[in-house]
Amino acid sequence: MDLTDFGAGAQYIAGRWTRGSGEPFQVVNPADGSVVEQVALATAADVDTAVAAAKAALPGWSSATPGARSEALTRLAAVLGGAADELARVETAQTGKPVKLATEFDVPGTVDNAAFFAGAARNLEGKAAGEYSGDHTSYVRREAIGVVGSISPWNYPLQMAAWKILPAIAAGNTIVLKPAELTPLTSLMFARACTEAGIPDGVVNVVTGAGRTAGEHLVAHPDVAMVSFTGSTAVGRRVAELATATVKRTHLELGGKAPFVVFDDADLDAAVHGAVAAALINGGQDCTAATRAYVQRPLYEAFVAGVAELFAAIRIGDPRDPRTDLGPLVSFAHRDRVAGFVERARSYATVVTGGPAPEQGHDGYDLTRGAYHAPTLITGAAQDSEVVQGEIFGPVLVVLPFDGDDEGLRLANDTPYGLAASAWTSNVHRSLRATREIAAGCVWVNDHIPIISEMPHGGYKASGYGKDMSQYSLDEYTQVKHVMFDTTAVARKDWHRTVFGDR
């Protein structure tokens, strides 16, 4: 089995490779600018073909037993596990993320998601049947919504494909996924793996196209019943606008600007190491990455010094080298965007360490060939400044001091976003207060970043709504139907008199 044999093109529709009818597009390795694959982008017509395939597959898949869907997803987990090395290689090539991250985080997380939803497929819960009115027996059915149109981002192409596809098909829906055109390859491999696992043709379809053509057409398509989108808040607003026209259900996982709150009783060493890992994971291209560290004043200077020391020791280099800690950003354009935030910050804050990447990596790799940016630590920025409020999406951490607990929590909540946060303290009362008062969909205590298939991921405020992973995600891809049976066999019921006649 070779999941990378893309055949005639980079569209996977109805169980077959097809060639997009749009313009050619090069998937570029950001580590050196080389072309990984050339694809033909999808047009609106290709999206129509994919939606038609999903619509045709819906009656059979939605009526399959939960056990049958579970068995198919169990087989899918095995297929993905068998292709783990190849998935990691391709993920690294198209994104530039270090191969150790792809190998130890992205791929095993995806396999685990498949295994989790194989079990969740058999657990569509509803309220227990009962005679709630006294004269009727009621029960709840959870049914598939229909064809789901999903759009996934470029930062975790494989994992995000899984997060979109797995709960949707576990609940009996069919799906058309549009991955980011920058990084479509592992999403296509995932769709091919579904066929290898025996999932019927048309249940999972992938179209590679641009957002303004393929993406908007998918969201607005009249045969798409639900839209799931992960990406920026600005684009999420556009998705919601388009979906409203046809009254689709929407699930939006949008931007983030995660606070990292360090109280004065925290384990300083743990907080420093946690901040470096949480700020630099995936090159900082993670909507839950630690971006704003608020450190209570007694620990502030030591925290800044500790982070600066570790940032300076980060091994930047060839992402294929298993010793590399930090690879390039996803594209040269995005590298320049991140660098712009940092360079503008020099006029109003202090760049303690970082900025442009060195010319040579830890392994002698020529970093000038790729979209590299060094880990960057910034202090002295005002709370309302661009680097504190804006989503930089790169290896940049801003550190600000605070005094009392009230101030620390107020600052943590002082952005439009609310996706994730962490609190660092040895005091149980402080931790309980922080988890209660920080407005975010996930709040870690004395850690930052770990996720698990059994627990939900999703945001508050401008970070969107809806959940990925977990039983909560599965439920979002179902419709709730109330079924009610009369138990009296009485022709003239007492309530009829409220409409006609007397008692």
Side-chain angles (χ1 to χ4, degrees):
M1 176 188 63
D2 182 5
L3 300 182
T4 63
D5 181 9
F6 298 115
Q11 318 297 323
Y12 197 80
I13 300 173
R16 291 179 295 280
W17 296 113
T18 62
R19 183 175 181 81
S21 50
E23 295 296 317
F25 183 85
Q26 293 180 336
V27 178
V28 173
N29 185 335
D32 58 13
S34 63
V35 176
V36 181
E37 192 78 31
Q38 180 158 301
V39 302
L41 295 178
T43 63
D46 298 313
V47 172
D48 288 340
T49 300
V51 172
K55 185 177 180 181
L58 181 64
W61 184 249
S62 63
S63 62
T65 65
R69 292 198 293 266
S70 175
E71 289 173 2
L73 290 174
T74 298
R75 293 192 299 269
L76 175 60
V79 172
L80 293 169
D85 290 345
E86 194 67 4
L87 286 165
R89 182 189 66 79
V90 175
E91 194 77 330
T92 292
Q94 68 176 353
T95 65
K97 68 178 63 194
V99 71
K100 67 176 179 178
L101 181 67
T103 301
E104 299 179 29
F105 182 74
D106 297 61
V107 174
T110 299
V111 174
D112 186 69
N113 281 175
F116 172 81
F117 281 108
R122 305 184 77 147
N123 190 36
L124 289 171
E125 292 185 337
K127 196 169 185 178
E131 289 70 50
Y132 297 103
S133 78
D135 293 335
H136 306 83
T137 295
S138 289
Y139 67 85
V140 169
R141 290 176 55 88
R142 282 194 176 271
E143 298 179 347
I145 295 173
V147 176
V148 177
S150 290
I151 299 176
S152 56
W154 47 255
N155 56 336
Y156 291 101
L158 178 62
Q159 283 200 317
M160 294 296 102
W163 286 15
K164 301 301 184 191
I165 292 170
L166 292 169
I169 67 174
N173 303 284
T174 56
I175 189 168
V176 178
L177 173 75
K178 191 205 84 67
E181 63 270 30
L182 289 177
T183 56
L185 302 181
T186 49
S187 300
L188 291 161
M189 293 168 70
F190 190 100
R192 175 62 185 162
C194 289
T195 299
E196 292 289 335
I199 294 172
D201 294 348
V203 172
V204 176
N205 308 274
V206 174
V207 291
T208 298
R212 291 192 177 276
T213 51
E216 292 201 358
H217 191 68
L218 178 62
V219 171
H221 201 289
D223 289 333
V224 169
M226 176 180 173
V227 171
S228 178
F229 170 79
T230 296
S232 72
T233 298
V235 177
R237 292 191 186 99
R238 175 62 176 162
V239 168
E241 176 187 343
L242 290 169
T244 299
T246 47
V247 199
K248 302 183 197 303
R249 185 180 297 192
T250 55
H251 168 202
L252 303 176
E253 198 265 273
L254 307 177
K257 190 70 179 176
F260 186 101
V261 184
V262 183
F263 294 98
D264 59 11
D265 62 344
D267 181 326
L268 178 63
D269 191 49
V272 167
H273 282 80
V276 172
L280 300 185
I281 185 170
N282 205 38
Q285 299 166 124
D286 186 313
C287 47
T288 63
T291 58
R292 299 178 290 136
Y294 296 101
V295 183
Q296 202 152 16
R297 208 168 293 274
L299 297 185
Y300 175 76
E301 290 187 5
F303 180 89
V304 169
V307 170
E309 181 179 357
L310 288 183
F311 268 18
I314 292 296
R315 295 170 297 185
I316 310 173
D318 185 345
R320 297 169 298 179
D321 185 335
R323 298 173 300 155
T324 292
D325 299 321
L326 186 69
L329 299 181
V330 74
S331 69
F332 293 91
H334 185 61
R335 188 270 314 274
D336 293 345
R337 177 183 177 277
V338 170
F341 274 94
V342 174
E343 293 312 305
R344 289 190 296 274
R346 294 183 188 278
S347 67
Y348 58 80
T350 300
V351 177
V352 177
T353 186
E359 293 186 357
Q360 191 174 80
H362 73 97
D363 49 1
Y365 191 77
D366 181 5
L367 301 182
T368 63
R369 300 163 58 197
Y372 288 88
H373 193 280
T376 302
L377 178 63
I378 297 175
T379 62
Q383 176 66 15
D384 62 354
S385 64
E386 181 187 48
V387 289
V388 175
Q389 295 292 326
E391 190 175 25
I392 301 172
F393 227 58
V396 180
L397 177 65
V398 184
V399 185
L400 299 92
F402 71 92
D403 292 304
D405 291 16
D406 290 350
E407 181 188 14
L409 296 175
R410 177 181 60 79
L411 292 171
N413 284 328
D414 184 27
T415 70
Y417 302 107
L419 186 58
S422 63
W424 297 75
T425 176
S426 59
N427 183 298
V428 66
H429 302 292
R430 267 179 163 167
S431 65
L432 287 170
R433 181 186 177 190
T435 57
R436 182 175 64 248
E437 294 187 12
I438 294 176
C442 175
V443 181
W444 292 279
V445 177
N446 296 330
D447 208 344
H448 192 118
I449 284 298
I451 53 175
I452 49 175
S453 296
E454 290 82 359
M455 287 292 153
H457 173 85
Y460 286 18
K461 304 190 294 185
S463 292
Y465 49 82
K467 300 298 179 184
D468 289 311
M469 302 195 295
S470 81
Q471 184 71 36
Y472 296 97
S473 175
L474 183 71
D475 292 348
E476 297 220 11
Y477 287 89
T478 64
Q479 307 192 85
V480 175
K481 178 185 286 184
H482 171 213
V483 179
M484 196 174 203
F485 289 87
D486 170 64
T487 60
T488 66
V490 173
R492 294 193 60 186
K493 295 177 171 55
D494 187 56
W495 72 268
H496 292 175
R497 68 186 172 81
T498 64
V499 182
F500 69 97
D502 301 315
R503 185 186 294 274

